[in-house]
Amino acid sequence: MGLASLSPDYTTLCRRLSSLEVKLPLRNLSEKLHLWIDSTGVKVYGEGEWKVRTHGWSKRRTWRKLHLAIDVETQQIVGVCATSNAVDDAAKS
């Protein structure tokens, strides 16, 4: 097709981003906000994975819970909190 498609390199992107103005919409604090709050388990990988592969399963597994608060209307994440596996949603809401 004869089109020249150039991709900017890292230096060009850094230069352009330094002068980029981003304006995020602000929510009116007097408006009510309807939230969904949920959590999911996230497995944390580390040196324990090698031990499990080499020696088998142990009683200790490393998990973290990621609690999310999502605006129902806009579907945007408005709050995030990471805790240990022992904390439930009711304790963080």
Side-chain angles (χ1 to χ4, degrees):
M1 295 177 68
L3 297 175
S5 175
L6 299 176
S7 299
D9 60 2
Y10 177 78
T11 307
T12 304
L13 288 175
C14 287
R15 241 188 342 248
R16 290 179 183 172
L17 289 176
S18 66
S19 63
L20 181 66
E21 292 184 29
V22 177
K23 295 184 180 180
L24 298 175
L26 297 176
R27 188 180 63 85
N28 188 353
L29 295 177
S30 64
E31 295 177 4
K32 292 183 180 180
L33 183 62
H34 186 194
L35 294 177
W36 285 331
I37 298 178
D38 196 14
S39 66
T40 184
V42 179
K43 186 173 183 181
V44 178
Y45 287 94
E47 61 182 305
E49 291 298 313
W50 172 85
K51 185 178 132 331
V52 168
R53 281 193 302 264
T54 307
H55 302 291
W57 296 103
S58 67
K59 292 183 181 179
R60 291 186 182 188
R61 293 187 188 165
T62 305
W63 287 86
R64 297 289 182 255
K65 273 195 175 174
L66 181 65
H67 303 265
L68 299 172
I70 301 172
D71 184 357
V72 174
E73 184 179 326
T74 64
Q75 302 294 307
Q76 290 182 336
I77 297 174
V78 295
V80 177
C81 181
T83 63
S84 70
N85 196 28
V87 178
D88 60 352
D89 287 338
K92 297 306 297 175
S93 58

CSV table of all heavy atoms in Angstrom, one decimal, residues 1-61:
chain,number,residue,atom,x,y,z
A,1,MET,N,0.8,-1.2,0.0
A,1,MET,CA,0.0,0.0,0.0
A,1,MET,C,0.9,1.2,0.0
A,1,MET,O,0.3,2.3,-0.2
A,1,MET,CB,-0.9,0.0,1.2
A,1,MET,CG,-2.0,-1.1,1.1
A,1,MET,SD,-3.1,-1.2,2.5
A,1,MET,CE,-4.0,0.2,2.4
A,2,GLY,N,2.1,1.1,0.3
A,2,GLY,CA,3.0,2.3,0.3
A,2,GLY,C,2.9,3.2,1.4
A,2,GLY,O,3.2,4.4,1.3
A,3,LEU,N,2.3,2.7,2.6
A,3,LEU,CA,2.2,3.6,3.7
A,3,LEU,C,3.3,3.5,4.7
A,3,LEU,O,3.8,2.4,4.9
A,3,LEU,CB,0.9,3.2,4.5
A,3,LEU,CG,-0.4,3.4,3.7
A,3,LEU,CD1,-1.6,2.9,4.6
A,3,LEU,CD2,-0.6,4.9,3.4
A,4,ALA,N,3.8,4.6,5.1
A,4,ALA,CA,4.9,4.6,6.1
A,4,ALA,C,4.3,4.6,7.5
A,4,ALA,O,3.7,5.6,7.9
A,4,ALA,CB,5.9,5.7,5.9
A,5,SER,N,4.5,3.6,8.3
A,5,SER,CA,3.9,3.6,9.6
A,5,SER,C,5.1,3.6,10.6
A,5,SER,O,5.8,2.6,10.8
A,5,SER,CB,3.1,2.3,9.8
A,5,SER,OG,2.7,2.2,11.2
A,6,LEU,N,5.3,4.8,11.2
A,6,LEU,CA,6.4,4.9,12.2
A,6,LEU,C,5.9,4.8,13.6
A,6,LEU,O,4.9,5.4,13.9
A,6,LEU,CB,7.1,6.3,11.9
A,6,LEU,CG,7.7,6.5,10.6
A,6,LEU,CD1,8.2,7.9,10.5
A,6,LEU,CD2,8.8,5.5,10.3
A,7,SER,N,6.6,4.1,14.4
A,7,SER,CA,6.3,4.0,15.8
A,7,SER,C,7.2,4.9,16.6
A,7,SER,O,8.4,4.8,16.4
A,7,SER,CB,6.4,2.6,16.3
A,7,SER,OG,5.5,1.7,15.6
A,8,PRO,N,6.7,5.7,17.5
A,8,PRO,CA,7.7,6.5,18.3
A,8,PRO,C,8.5,5.7,19.2
A,8,PRO,O,8.0,4.7,19.8
A,8,PRO,CB,6.7,7.5,19.1
A,8,PRO,CG,5.4,6.8,19.1
A,8,PRO,CD,5.4,5.9,17.9
A,9,ASP,N,9.8,6.1,19.4
A,9,ASP,CA,10.6,5.4,20.4
A,9,ASP,C,10.4,5.9,21.8
A,9,ASP,O,9.6,6.8,22.0
A,9,ASP,CB,12.1,5.4,20.0
A,9,ASP,CG,12.6,6.9,19.9
A,9,ASP,OD1,11.8,7.8,20.2
A,9,ASP,OD2,13.7,7.1,19.5
A,10,TYR,N,11.1,5.3,22.7
A,10,TYR,CA,10.9,5.6,24.1
A,10,TYR,C,11.2,7.1,24.4
A,10,TYR,O,10.5,7.8,25.1
A,10,TYR,CB,11.9,4.7,25.0
A,10,TYR,CG,11.8,5.0,26.5
A,10,TYR,CD1,10.8,4.6,27.2
A,10,TYR,CD2,12.8,5.8,27.1
A,10,TYR,CE1,10.7,4.9,28.6
A,10,TYR,CE2,12.8,6.1,28.4
A,10,TYR,CZ,11.7,5.6,29.2
A,10,TYR,OH,11.6,5.9,30.5
A,11,THR,N,12.3,7.6,23.8
A,11,THR,CA,12.7,9.0,24.1
A,11,THR,C,11.6,10.0,23.6
A,11,THR,O,11.3,10.9,24.3
A,11,THR,CB,14.0,9.3,23.4
A,11,THR,OG1,15.0,8.4,23.8
A,11,THR,CG2,14.5,10.7,23.7
A,12,THR,N,11.1,9.7,22.4
A,12,THR,CA,10.0,10.6,21.9
A,12,THR,C,8.8,10.5,22.7
A,12,THR,O,8.2,11.6,23.0
A,12,THR,CB,9.7,10.1,20.4
A,12,THR,OG1,10.8,10.1,19.6
A,12,THR,CG2,8.6,11.0,19.8
A,13,LEU,N,8.4,9.4,23.2
A,13,LEU,CA,7.2,9.3,24.1
A,13,LEU,C,7.5,10.0,25.4
A,13,LEU,O,6.6,10.7,25.9
A,13,LEU,CB,6.9,7.8,24.4
A,13,LEU,CG,6.3,7.0,23.2
A,13,LEU,CD1,6.2,5.5,23.6
A,13,LEU,CD2,5.0,7.6,22.8
A,14,CYS,N,8.6,9.9,26.0
A,14,CYS,CA,8.9,10.6,27.2
A,14,CYS,C,8.9,12.1,27.0
A,14,CYS,O,8.3,12.8,27.9
A,14,CYS,CB,10.3,10.2,27.8
A,14,CYS,SG,10.3,8.6,28.5
A,15,ARG,N,9.4,12.6,26.0
A,15,ARG,CA,9.4,14.0,25.7
A,15,ARG,C,7.9,14.5,25.5
A,15,ARG,O,7.6,15.6,26.0
A,15,ARG,CB,10.2,14.3,24.4
A,15,ARG,CG,11.3,15.2,24.6
A,15,ARG,CD,12.0,15.6,23.3
A,15,ARG,NE,11.7,14.8,22.2
A,15,ARG,CZ,12.5,14.0,21.5
A,15,ARG,NH1,13.8,13.9,21.9
A,15,ARG,NH2,12.1,13.3,20.5
A,16,ARG,N,7.1,13.8,24.8
A,16,ARG,CA,5.7,14.2,24.5
A,16,ARG,C,4.9,14.1,25.8
A,16,ARG,O,4.0,14.9,26.0
A,16,ARG,CB,5.1,13.4,23.4
A,16,ARG,CG,5.7,13.7,22.1
A,16,ARG,CD,5.1,12.8,21.0
A,16,ARG,NE,5.7,13.0,19.7
A,16,ARG,CZ,5.5,12.3,18.6
A,16,ARG,NH1,4.7,11.3,18.7
A,16,ARG,NH2,6.1,12.6,17.5
A,17,LEU,N,5.1,13.1,26.6
A,17,LEU,CA,4.3,12.9,27.8
A,17,LEU,C,4.6,14.0,28.9
A,17,LEU,O,3.7,14.3,29.7
A,17,LEU,CB,4.5,11.5,28.4
A,17,LEU,CG,3.9,10.4,27.6
A,17,LEU,CD1,4.3,9.0,28.2
A,17,LEU,CD2,2.4,10.5,27.5
A,18,SER,N,5.8,14.6,28.8
A,18,SER,CA,6.1,15.6,29.8
A,18,SER,C,5.2,16.9,29.6
A,18,SER,O,5.0,17.6,30.6
A,18,SER,CB,7.6,16.0,29.8
A,18,SER,OG,7.9,16.6,28.5
A,19,SER,N,4.8,17.1,28.4
A,19,SER,CA,3.9,18.3,28.2
A,19,SER,C,2.5,17.9,28.0
A,19,SER,O,1.7,18.8,27.7
A,19,SER,CB,4.5,19.0,26.9
A,19,SER,OG,4.3,18.1,25.8
A,20,LEU,N,2.1,16.7,28.1
A,20,LEU,CA,0.7,16.2,28.0
A,20,LEU,C,-0.1,16.6,29.2
A,20,LEU,O,0.3,16.4,30.3
A,20,LEU,CB,0.7,14.7,27.8
A,20,LEU,CG,-0.7,14.1,27.6
A,20,LEU,CD1,-1.3,14.6,26.2
A,20,LEU,CD2,-0.6,12.6,27.6
A,21,GLU,N,-1.2,17.3,28.9
A,21,GLU,CA,-2.1,17.7,30.0
A,21,GLU,C,-3.3,16.7,30.0
A,21,GLU,O,-4.0,16.6,29.0
A,21,GLU,CB,-2.6,19.1,29.8
A,21,GLU,CG,-1.5,20.1,30.0
A,21,GLU,CD,-2.0,21.6,29.9
A,21,GLU,OE1,-3.2,21.8,30.2
A,21,GLU,OE2,-1.3,22.4,29.5
A,22,VAL,N,-3.5,16.1,31.1
A,22,VAL,CA,-4.6,15.1,31.3
A,22,VAL,C,-5.6,15.7,32.3
A,22,VAL,O,-5.2,16.0,33.4
A,22,VAL,CB,-4.1,13.7,31.7
A,22,VAL,CG1,-5.3,12.8,31.9
A,22,VAL,CG2,-3.2,13.2,30.7
A,23,LYS,N,-6.8,15.9,31.9
A,23,LYS,CA,-7.8,16.4,32.8
A,23,LYS,C,-8.8,15.2,33.1
A,23,LYS,O,-9.6,14.8,32.2
A,23,LYS,CB,-8.5,17.6,32.3
A,23,LYS,CG,-7.6,18.8,32.1
A,23,LYS,CD,-8.3,20.0,31.6
A,23,LYS,CE,-7.3,21.1,31.5
A,23,LYS,NZ,-8.0,22.3,31.0
A,24,LEU,N,-8.8,14.8,34.3
A,24,LEU,CA,-9.7,13.7,34.7
A,24,LEU,C,-11.0,14.3,35.2
A,24,LEU,O,-11.0,15.3,35.9
A,24,LEU,CB,-9.1,12.8,35.8
A,24,LEU,CG,-7.8,12.1,35.4
A,24,LEU,CD1,-7.2,11.4,36.6
A,24,LEU,CD2,-8.1,11.1,34.3
A,25,PRO,N,-12.2,13.7,34.9
A,25,PRO,CA,-13.4,14.2,35.4
A,25,PRO,C,-13.5,14.1,36.9
A,25,PRO,O,-13.2,13.0,37.4
A,25,PRO,CB,-14.5,13.4,34.7
A,25,PRO,CG,-13.8,12.1,34.3
A,25,PRO,CD,-12.3,12.5,34.1
A,26,LEU,N,-14.0,15.1,37.6
A,26,LEU,CA,-14.2,15.1,39.0
A,26,LEU,C,-15.6,14.8,39.3
A,26,LEU,O,-16.5,15.3,38.7
A,26,LEU,CB,-13.8,16.4,39.6
A,26,LEU,CG,-12.3,16.8,39.5
A,26,LEU,CD1,-12.0,18.1,40.1
A,26,LEU,CD2,-11.4,15.7,40.1
A,27,ARG,N,-15.8,14.0,40.3
A,27,ARG,CA,-17.2,13.6,40.7
A,27,ARG,C,-17.6,14.6,41.8
A,27,ARG,O,-16.9,15.0,42.7
A,27,ARG,CB,-17.2,12.2,41.3
A,27,ARG,CG,-18.6,11.7,41.7
A,27,ARG,CD,-18.5,10.3,42.2
A,27,ARG,NE,-17.8,10.2,43.5
A,27,ARG,CZ,-18.4,10.5,44.7
A,27,ARG,NH1,-19.6,10.8,44.7
A,27,ARG,NH2,-17.7,10.4,45.8
A,28,ASN,N,-18.9,15.0,41.7
A,28,ASN,CA,-19.5,15.9,42.7
A,28,ASN,C,-19.7,15.2,44.0
A,28,ASN,O,-20.3,14.1,44.0
A,28,ASN,CB,-20.8,16.5,42.2
A,28,ASN,CG,-21.4,17.6,43.0
A,28,ASN,OD1,-20.8,17.8,44.1
A,28,ASN,ND2,-22.4,18.2,42.6
A,29,LEU,N,-19.1,15.7,45.1
A,29,LEU,CA,-19.1,14.9,46.3
A,29,LEU,C,-20.5,15.0,47.0
A,29,LEU,O,-20.8,14.2,47.9
A,29,LEU,CB,-18.1,15.5,47.3
A,29,LEU,CG,-16.6,15.4,46.9
A,29,LEU,CD1,-15.7,16.1,47.9
A,29,LEU,CD2,-16.3,13.9,46.8
A,30,SER,N,-21.4,15.8,46.5
A,30,SER,CA,-22.7,15.9,47.1
A,30,SER,C,-23.6,14.8,46.4
A,30,SER,O,-24.7,14.5,47.0
A,30,SER,CB,-23.4,17.3,46.9
A,30,SER,OG,-23.5,17.5,45.5
A,31,GLU,N,-23.2,14.2,45.3
A,31,GLU,CA,-24.0,13.2,44.7
A,31,GLU,C,-23.8,11.8,45.4
A,31,GLU,O,-22.7,11.5,45.9
A,31,GLU,CB,-23.6,13.0,43.2
A,31,GLU,CG,-23.8,14.2,42.3
A,31,GLU,CD,-23.3,14.0,40.9
A,31,GLU,OE1,-22.8,12.9,40.6
A,31,GLU,OE2,-23.3,14.9,40.1
A,32,LYS,N,-24.9,11.0,45.4
A,32,LYS,CA,-24.8,9.7,46.0
A,32,LYS,C,-24.0,8.8,45.1
A,32,LYS,O,-24.0,8.9,43.8
A,32,LYS,CB,-26.1,9.1,46.3
A,32,LYS,CG,-26.9,9.9,47.3
A,32,LYS,CD,-28.2,9.2,47.6
A,32,LYS,CE,-29.0,10.0,48.7
A,32,LYS,NZ,-30.3,9.4,48.9
A,33,LEU,N,-23.3,7.8,45.7
A,33,LEU,CA,-22.5,6.9,44.9
A,33,LEU,C,-22.9,5.5,45.2
A,33,LEU,O,-22.9,5.1,46.4
A,33,LEU,CB,-21.0,7.1,45.2
A,33,LEU,CG,-20.0,6.3,44.5
A,33,LEU,CD1,-20.0,6.6,43.0
A,33,LEU,CD2,-18.6,6.6,45.0
A,34,HIS,N,-23.2,4.7,44.2
A,34,HIS,CA,-23.6,3.3,44.4
A,34,HIS,C,-22.4,2.5,44.0
A,34,HIS,O,-22.0,2.5,42.9
A,34,HIS,CB,-24.8,3.0,43.5
A,34,HIS,CG,-25.4,1.7,43.7
A,34,HIS,ND1,-26.3,1.1,42.8
A,34,HIS,CD2,-25.3,0.8,44.7
A,34,HIS,CE1,-26.6,-0.1,43.3
A,34,HIS,NE2,-26.0,-0.3,44.4
A,35,LEU,N,-22.0,1.7,45.0
A,35,LEU,CA,-20.8,0.9,44.8
A,35,LEU,C,-21.0,-0.6,44.9
A,35,LEU,O,-21.9,-1.0,45.6
A,35,LEU,CB,-19.7,1.2,45.9
A,35,LEU,CG,-19.1,2.6,46.0
A,35,LEU,CD1,-18.2,2.7,47.2
A,35,LEU,CD2,-18.4,2.9,44.7
A,36,TRP,N,-20.3,-1.3,44.1
A,36,TRP,CA,-20.1,-2.8,44.3
A,36,TRP,C,-18.8,-3.0,45.0
A,36,TRP,O,-17.8,-2.4,44.6
A,36,TRP,CB,-20.1,-3.5,42.9
A,36,TRP,CG,-21.3,-3.6,42.2
A,36,TRP,CD1,-22.6,-3.6,42.7
A,36,TRP,CD2,-21.5,-3.7,40.8
A,36,TRP,NE1,-23.5,-3.7,41.7
A,36,TRP,CE2,-22.8,-3.7,40.5
A,36,TRP,CE3,-20.6,-3.6,39.7
A,36,TRP,CZ2,-23.3,-3.8,39.2
A,36,TRP,CZ3,-21.1,-3.7,38.4
A,36,TRP,CH2,-22.4,-3.8,38.2
A,37,ILE,N,-18.8,-3.8,46.0
A,37,ILE,CA,-17.6,-4.2,46.7
A,37,ILE,C,-17.4,-5.7,46.6
A,37,ILE,O,-18.3,-6.4,47.0
A,37,ILE,CB,-17.6,-3.7,48.2
A,37,ILE,CG1,-17.7,-2.2,48.2
A,37,ILE,CG2,-16.4,-4.2,48.9
A,37,ILE,CD1,-17.8,-1.6,49.6
A,38,ASP,N,-16.3,-6.1,46.2
A,38,ASP,CA,-16.0,-7.5,46.0
A,38,ASP,C,-14.5,-7.8,46.3
A,38,ASP,O,-13.7,-6.8,46.3
A,38,ASP,CB,-16.4,-8.0,44.6
A,38,ASP,CG,-16.5,-9.5,44.6
A,38,ASP,OD1,-16.5,-10.2,45.6
A,38,ASP,OD2,-16.6,-10.0,43.4
A,39,SER,N,-14.1,-9.0,46.4
A,39,SER,CA,-12.7,-9.3,46.6
A,39,SER,C,-12.4,-10.6,45.8
A,39,SER,O,-13.3,-11.4,45.5
A,39,SER,CB,-12.4,-9.5,48.1
A,39,SER,OG,-13.1,-10.7,48.6
A,40,THR,N,-11.1,-10.7,45.5
A,40,THR,CA,-10.7,-11.9,44.9
A,40,THR,C,-9.3,-12.3,45.5
A,40,THR,O,-8.6,-11.5,45.9
A,40,THR,CB,-10.5,-11.7,43.3
A,40,THR,OG1,-10.2,-12.9,42.7
A,40,THR,CG2,-9.5,-10.6,43.0
A,41,GLY,N,-9.0,-13.6,45.4
A,41,GLY,CA,-7.7,-14.1,45.9
A,41,GLY,C,-6.7,-14.0,44.9
A,41,GLY,O,-6.9,-14.3,43.7
A,42,VAL,N,-5.5,-13.6,45.3
A,42,VAL,CA,-4.4,-13.4,44.3
A,42,VAL,C,-3.2,-14.3,44.9
A,42,VAL,O,-2.8,-14.0,46.1
A,42,VAL,CB,-3.9,-12.0,44.1
A,42,VAL,CG1,-2.8,-11.9,43.2
A,42,VAL,CG2,-5.1,-11.1,43.7
A,43,LYS,N,-2.7,-15.2,44.2
A,43,LYS,CA,-1.6,-16.0,44.7
A,43,LYS,C,-0.3,-15.2,44.5
A,43,LYS,O,-0.1,-14.7,43.4
A,43,LYS,CB,-1.5,-17.3,43.9
A,43,LYS,CG,-0.5,-18.3,44.5
A,43,LYS,CD,-0.6,-19.6,43.8
A,43,LYS,CE,0.4,-20.6,44.4
A,43,LYS,NZ,0.4,-21.9,43.8
A,44,VAL,N,0.5,-15.2,45.5
A,44,VAL,CA,1.8,-14.5,45.5
A,44,VAL,C,2.9,-15.5,45.2
A,44,VAL,O,3.1,-16.5,45.9
A,44,VAL,CB,2.0,-13.8,46.8
A,44,VAL,CG1,3.4,-13.1,46.8
A,44,VAL,CG2,0.9,-12.8,47.1
A,45,TYR,N,3.6,-15.3,44.1
A,45,TYR,CA,4.7,-16.2,43.7
A,45,TYR,C,5.9,-15.7,44.4
A,45,TYR,O,6.2,-14.5,44.5
A,45,TYR,CB,4.9,-16.2,42.2
A,45,TYR,CG,3.8,-17.0,41.5
A,45,TYR,CD1,2.7,-16.3,41.0
A,45,TYR,CD2,3.9,-18.3,41.3
A,45,TYR,CE1,1.7,-17.0,40.4
A,45,TYR,CE2,2.9,-19.0,40.7
A,45,TYR,CZ,1.8,-18.4,40.2
A,45,TYR,OH,0.8,-19.1,39.6
A,46,GLY,N,6.8,-16.6,44.8
A,46,GLY,CA,8.0,-16.3,45.4
A,46,GLY,C,8.9,-17.5,45.5
A,46,GLY,O,8.7,-18.5,44.8
A,47,GLU,N,9.8,-17.5,46.5
A,47,GLU,CA,10.7,-18.6,46.6
A,47,GLU,C,10.0,-19.9,47.0
A,47,GLU,O,10.5,-21.0,46.9
A,47,GLU,CB,11.8,-18.2,47.6
A,47,GLU,CG,11.3,-17.9,49.0
A,47,GLU,CD,12.4,-17.5,49.9
A,47,GLU,OE1,13.4,-18.3,50.1
A,47,GLU,OE2,12.3,-16.4,50.5
A,48,GLY,N,8.8,-19.8,47.6
A,48,GLY,CA,8.1,-20.9,48.0
A,48,GLY,C,7.7,-21.8,46.8
A,48,GLY,O,7.5,-23.0,47.0
A,49,GLU,N,7.5,-21.2,45.6
A,49,GLU,CA,7.2,-22.0,44.5
A,49,GLU,C,8.2,-23.1,44.1
A,49,GLU,O,7.9,-24.2,43.8
A,49,GLU,CB,6.9,-21.1,43.3
A,49,GLU,CG,5.7,-20.3,43.4
A,49,GLU,CD,4.4,-21.1,43.5
A,49,GLU,OE1,4.2,-22.0,42.7
A,49,GLU,OE2,3.6,-20.8,44.4
A,50,TRP,N,9.5,-22.7,44.2
A,50,TRP,CA,10.6,-23.6,44.0
A,50,TRP,C,10.5,-24.8,45.0
A,50,TRP,O,10.7,-25.9,44.6
A,50,TRP,CB,11.9,-22.9,44.1
A,50,TRP,CG,13.1,-23.9,44.0
A,50,TRP,CD1,13.6,-24.4,42.9
A,50,TRP,CD2,13.7,-24.5,45.1
A,50,TRP,NE1,14.6,-25.3,43.2
A,50,TRP,CE2,14.7,-25.4,44.6
A,50,TRP,CE3,13.6,-24.4,46.5
A,50,TRP,CZ2,15.5,-26.2,45.4
A,50,TRP,CZ3,14.4,-25.2,47.3
A,50,TRP,CH2,15.4,-26.1,46.7
A,51,LYS,N,10.3,-24.5,46.2
A,51,LYS,CA,10.2,-25.5,47.3
A,51,LYS,C,9.1,-26.5,47.0
A,51,LYS,O,9.2,-27.7,47.2
A,51,LYS,CB,10.0,-24.8,48.7
A,51,LYS,CG,10.1,-25.8,49.8
A,51,LYS,CD,9.9,-25.0,51.1
A,51,LYS,CE,8.9,-25.5,52.0
A,51,LYS,NZ,7.8,-26.2,51.7
A,52,VAL,N,7.9,-26.0,46.6
A,52,VAL,CA,6.8,-26.8,46.3
A,52,VAL,C,7.1,-27.8,45.1
A,52,VAL,O,6.8,-29.0,45.2
A,52,VAL,CB,5.5,-26.0,46.0
A,52,VAL,CG1,4.4,-26.8,45.4
A,52,VAL,CG2,5.1,-25.3,47.2
A,53,ARG,N,7.7,-27.2,44.1
A,53,ARG,CA,8.1,-28.1,42.9
A,53,ARG,C,9.1,-29.1,43.3
A,53,ARG,O,9.1,-30.2,42.8
A,53,ARG,CB,8.6,-27.2,41.8
A,53,ARG,CG,7.5,-26.5,41.0
A,53,ARG,CD,8.1,-26.0,39.7
A,53,ARG,NE,9.1,-25.0,39.9
A,53,ARG,CZ,9.0,-23.7,40.0
A,53,ARG,NH1,7.8,-23.2,39.8
A,53,ARG,NH2,10.0,-22.9,40.2
A,54,THR,N,10.1,-28.8,44.2
A,54,THR,CA,11.1,-29.7,44.5
A,54,THR,C,10.7,-30.7,45.6
A,54,THR,O,11.0,-31.8,45.5
A,54,THR,CB,12.3,-28.8,45.0
A,54,THR,OG1,12.7,-27.9,44.1
A,54,THR,CG2,13.5,-29.7,45.3
A,55,HIS,N,10.0,-30.2,46.7
A,55,HIS,CA,9.8,-31.0,47.8
A,55,HIS,C,8.3,-31.4,48.0
A,55,HIS,O,7.9,-32.1,48.9
A,55,HIS,CB,10.3,-30.3,49.1
A,55,HIS,CG,11.7,-30.0,49.0
A,55,HIS,ND1,12.7,-31.0,49.1
A,55,HIS,CD2,12.4,-28.8,48.9
A,55,HIS,CE1,13.9,-30.4,49.0
A,55,HIS,NE2,13.7,-29.1,48.9
A,56,GLY,N,7.4,-30.9,47.2
A,56,GLY,CA,6.0,-31.1,47.3
A,56,GLY,C,5.3,-30.0,48.1
A,56,GLY,O,5.9,-29.1,48.5
A,57,TRP,N,4.0,-30.2,48.2
A,57,TRP,CA,3.1,-29.2,48.9
A,57,TRP,C,3.4,-29.1,50.4
A,57,TRP,O,3.7,-30.1,51.0
A,57,TRP,CB,1.6,-29.6,48.7
A,57,TRP,CG,1.2,-29.6,47.3
A,57,TRP,CD1,1.0,-30.6,46.5
A,57,TRP,CD2,1.0,-28.4,46.5
A,57,TRP,NE1,0.6,-30.2,45.2
A,57,TRP,CE2,0.6,-28.9,45.2
A,57,TRP,CE3,1.0,-27.0,46.7
A,57,TRP,CZ2,0.3,-28.0,44.2
A,57,TRP,CZ3,0.7,-26.2,45.7
A,57,TRP,CH2,0.4,-26.7,44.4
A,58,SER,N,3.3,-27.9,50.9
A,58,SER,CA,3.4,-27.7,52.3
A,58,SER,C,2.1,-27.1,52.8
A,58,SER,O,1.2,-26.8,52.0
A,58,SER,CB,4.6,-26.8,52.6
A,58,SER,OG,4.3,-25.5,52.1
A,59,LYS,N,2.0,-26.9,54.1
A,59,LYS,CA,0.8,-26.3,54.6
A,59,LYS,C,0.7,-24.8,54.4
A,59,LYS,O,-0.4,-24.2,54.4
A,59,LYS,CB,0.7,-26.6,56.1
A,59,LYS,CG,0.5,-28.1,56.4
A,59,LYS,CD,0.4,-28.4,57.9
A,59,LYS,CE,0.2,-29.8,58.1
A,59,LYS,NZ,0.1,-30.2,59.5
A,60,ARG,N,1.8,-24.2,54.2
A,60,ARG,CA,1.8,-22.7,54.0
A,60,ARG,C,1.7,-22.4,52.5
A,60,ARG,O,2.6,-22.8,51.7
A,60,ARG,CB,3.1,-22.1,54.5
A,60,ARG,CG,3.2,-22.2,56.0
A,60,ARG,CD,4.4,-21.4,56.4
A,60,ARG,NE,4.6,-21.5,57.9
A,60,ARG,CZ,5.4,-20.8,58.6
A,60,ARG,NH1,6.3,-20.0,57.9
A,60,ARG,NH2,5.5,-20.9,59.9
A,61,ARG,N,0.7,-21.6,52.2
A,61,ARG,CA,0.6,-21.0,50.8
A,61,ARG,C,0.4,-19.6,51.0
A,61,ARG,O,-0.3,-19.1,51.9
A,61,ARG,CB,-0.6,-21.7,50.1
A,61,ARG,CG,-0.4,-23.1,49.8
A,61,ARG,CD,-1.5,-23.6,48.9
A,61,ARG,NE,-1.3,-25.1,48.8
A,61,ARG,CZ,-2.3,-25.8,48.4
A,61,ARG,NH1,-3.4,-25.3,48.0
A,61,ARG,NH2,-2.1,-27.1,48.3
